[in-house]
């Protein structure tokens, strides 16, 4: 699953969580529309938080940020 920002014909930006299975995209949840890029980023953060808390998808720490915090 991932977060998708899609420009609409009206000029707004839709933010949705999308799942891809067997070559087909399925919209899992819609988080709304935004008029500006700043508002869309806020919706993207909400979508990421929802995705990590409700769907059981774990966050992988490839940059070892937690290890650097401990040092």
């Amino acid at each position: 699953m991932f977060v998708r920002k899609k420009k609409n014909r009206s000029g707004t930006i839709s933010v949705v969580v999308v799942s891809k299975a067997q070559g087909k995209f399925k919209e899992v949840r819609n988080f709304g529309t935004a008029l500006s890029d700043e508002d869309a980023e806020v919706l993207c953060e909400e979508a990421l938080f929802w995705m990590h808390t409700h769907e059981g998808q774990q966050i992988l720490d490839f940059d070892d940020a937690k290890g650097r915090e401990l040092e």
Side-chain angles (χ1 to χ4, degrees):
M1 282 193 300
F2 58 95
V3 178
R4 173 182 280 173
K5 292 192 310 186
K6 181 180 176 186
K7 293 235 179 197
N8 299 323
R9 296 171 97 187
S10 62
T12 59
I13 303 168
S14 295
V15 177
V16 294
V17 173
V18 178
S19 174
K20 183 177 179 182
Q22 299 175 352
K24 296 183 180 180
F25 291 99
K26 180 180 178 185
E27 184 178 311
V28 177
R29 183 160 181 215
N30 185 350
F31 281 88
T33 58
L35 294 174
S36 66
D37 289 332
E38 294 83 19
D39 294 338
E41 288 301 320
V42 171
L43 290 174
C44 283
E45 290 175 11
E46 289 178 21
L48 282 172
F49 179 76
W50 180 85
M51 191 171 61
H52 294 305
T53 56
H54 286 83
E55 294 299 319
Q57 185 171 350
Q58 296 179 351
I59 300 171
L60 300 176
D61 187 16
F62 291 114
D63 297 329
D64 193 31
K66 287 191 178 186
R68 287 188 214 141
E69 289 176 7
L70 294 176
E71 292 176 359

